[in-house]
Amino acid sequence: MPITLPENLPAYSVLSREGVMVMDDSRAAIQDIRPLTIGLLNLMPKKIQTENQFARLIGATPLQINLKLIRMTEHLTKNTAAEHMEEFYRPFQDVKDEKLDGLIITGAPIEHLPFEEVTYWDELCEVFEWTQTNVHSTFGVCWGGMAMINYFHGVPKHMLDAKAFGCFRHRNLAPASPYLRGFSDDVLIPVSRWTEMRAPEVDAVPGLTTLLGSNEVGPCLVEDPAHRALYIFNHFEYDSGTLKEEYDRDAQSGKPIKVPVNYYPGDDPTQQPMNRWRSHAHLLYGNWINEIYQTTPYDTAKIGASSAG
Ligand SMILES: CC(=O)SCCNC(=O)CCNC(=O)[C@H](O)C(C)(C)COP(=O)(O)OP(=O)(O)OC[C@H]1O[C@@H](n2cnc3c(N)ncnc32)[C@H](O)[C@@H]1OP(=O)(O)O
Ligand SMILES: N[C@@H](CCO)C(=O)O
């Protein structure tokens, strides 16, 4: 939430420069408040786990959030009960006349496939186009972010020789960004993917800004203001034990998988993993919600391309 300060108080300009949200009295007087509607287009197989993870992060701000669970229209999910999908989810085709303040498009374990081989690729492209007229701010996560940055900018994903797996240090490249308000200079973030986006290819696109990046695992958080979007290729939302579940699953199935780095004490998988990203995860998603709240039109009918910026 912003702080209201007189515009001529020194703290007004000092804090503004640091990225703290500051308002003067005239702006404070015209603030209208309504609940925010955030959609979760859930492409993950373990949908309930993913619902819990994102709801926990976007539900931890002082604002009232209405969560809409959305699924691809024709995709019949194998790993989550049909009854759950029927009760709680609406197909995209039923939602597309509505407006959203925010939309999270999750990851999916299909990164080895060319985008065009994803059965719901055509509808997902329709979703990407729809965000430009019906969503104020979109957050593409892991594969969801790769797909969106590829759709809008042609940035390719590349297969890695070995899975990027573990907790990696990332540099805060934009300390004054409202999305990184309160962030430390470097941040530990869970990574779990067989593909990467490359910094030179992201940097080559005019208008994209990398906010968090790592020398080891590349760009992590990219801002795309022209599309009112953020793309994150790593997993701030993961629970303490999610990397462990993935490691145990692959180790038990006999897949050649390395122990996730910098996750277990002493990199010893018999030890209890440590969650050292939770605070930054809350900060990032809280900052995103705050930024939406500050910039989304009060009149939801006005959400869309005209509300850019
Ligand atoms: C890169 C990122 O975004 S990371 C995020 C992904 N991480 C995770 O999903 C972690 C948890 N996942 C898992 O542990 C595993 O995926 C499991 C155990 C749930 C299932 O694994 P598998 O049996 O190997 O794969 P499965 O055949 O179920 O396919 C996984 C998903 O991909 C989907 N999929 C597979 N091929 C395609 C395709 N061509 N087009 C679209 N979806 C596809 C499947 O439908 C399934 O999703 P669903 O549950 O919504 O139906
Ligand atoms: N996070 C994923 C990577 C696969 O796309 C997993 O290990 O399940």
Side-chain angles (χ1 to χ4, degrees):
M1 298 289 270
I3 182 165
T4 308
L5 296 173
E7 209 177 344
N8 52 353
L9 188 76
Y12 187 101
S13 51
V14 172
L15 270 57
S16 299
R17 274 199 303 277
E18 290 172 11
V20 176
M21 188 156 284
V22 185
M23 288 193 303
D24 62 21
D25 288 337
S26 57
R27 185 161 171 215
I30 55 161
Q31 289 274 302
D32 281 320
I33 297 177
R34 61 167 174 77
L36 297 181
T37 301
I38 305 293
L40 179 67
L41 178 59
N42 195 346
L43 308 175
M44 292 287 272
K46 296 180 169 181
K47 299 205 192 303
I48 297 174
Q49 181 186 57
T50 302
E51 292 155 20
N52 295 343
Q53 291 172 345
F54 283 109
R56 179 178 298 123
L57 293 172
I58 64 174
T61 80
L63 300 173
Q64 185 180 331
I65 306 286
N66 297 332
L67 181 65
K68 258 183 206 184
L69 299 173
I70 306 169
R71 62 174 173 84
M72 303 312 294
T73 306
E74 301 295 336
H75 179 77
L76 291 179
T77 183
K78 299 189 243 176
N79 296 288
T80 302
E83 298 75 29
H84 181 83
M85 300 306 293
E86 183 61 31
E87 184 168 0
F88 297 109
Y89 280 76
R90 293 166 66 206
F92 170 66
Q93 297 303 330
D94 285 4
V95 174
K96 68 184 193 183
D97 289 336
E98 299 170 17
K99 303 270 186 166
L100 299 177
D101 296 296
L103 174 68
I104 296 169
I105 302 177
T106 71
I110 49 179
E111 51 181 328
H112 53 289
L113 298 174
F115 292 119
E116 298 71 24
E117 287 182 22
V118 172
T119 51
Y120 48 74
W121 181 245
D122 288 347
E123 188 177 45
L124 191 58
C125 294
E126 189 187 343
V127 172
F128 294 148
E129 285 296 331
W130 171 82
T131 62
Q132 301 308 288
T133 51
N134 286 62
V135 181
H136 181 67
S137 178
T138 305
F139 212 145
V141 178
C142 203
W143 183 83
M146 294 179 182
M148 195 164 168
I149 200 174
N150 179 271
Y151 177 77
F152 282 125
H153 301 288
V155 181
K157 67 178 162 65
H158 301 274
M159 287 304 294
L160 292 164
D161 293 335
K163 186 177 186 180
F165 196 33
C167 296
F168 291 84
R169 301 215 79 87
H170 288 70
R171 277 165 302 123
N172 177 350
L173 302 171
S177 165
Y179 299 109
L180 301 186
R181 189 174 297 123
F183 265 59
S184 306
D185 293 343
D186 81 352
V187 186
L188 207 64
I189 310 180
V191 180
S192 178
R193 49 181 161 76
W194 295 92
T195 48
E196 66 174 355
M197 308 308 280
R198 293 186 180 155
E201 290 170 347
V202 172
D203 294 346
V205 179
L208 295 182
T209 306
T210 300
L211 306 181
L212 294 171
S214 152
N215 291 336
E216 290 167 284
V217 290
C220 167
L221 178 67
V222 176
E223 184 181 6
D224 180 359
H227 296 96
R228 299 187 308 280
L230 290 171
Y231 313 120
I232 188 164
F233 307 125
N234 302 330
H235 288 288
F236 257 141
E237 79 283 4
Y238 268 17
D239 296 319
S240 311
T242 310
L243 292 179
K244 174 176 166 52
E245 286 165 25
E246 294 180 355
Y247 172 69
D248 291 346
R249 175 201 67 201
D250 290 344
Q252 278 157 21
S253 75
K255 278 193 193 151
I257 187 79
K258 287 199 196 132
V259 174
V261 298
N262 206 13
Y263 174 58
Y264 299 102
D267 283 341
D268 174 357
T270 66
Q271 302 291 307
Q272 183 80 7
M274 296 262 290
N275 186 320
R276 287 180 290 160
W277 61 90
R278 188 185 293 115
S279 50
H280 278 111
H282 276 279
L283 259 185
L284 177 63
Y285 282 89
N287 286 341
W288 180 59
I289 293 292
N290 192 356
E291 194 58 16
I292 290 175
Y293 166 70
Q294 295 303 325
T295 57
T296 195
Y298 180 73
D299 176 0
T300 53
K302 293 186 179 150
I303 289 174
S306 61
S307 63

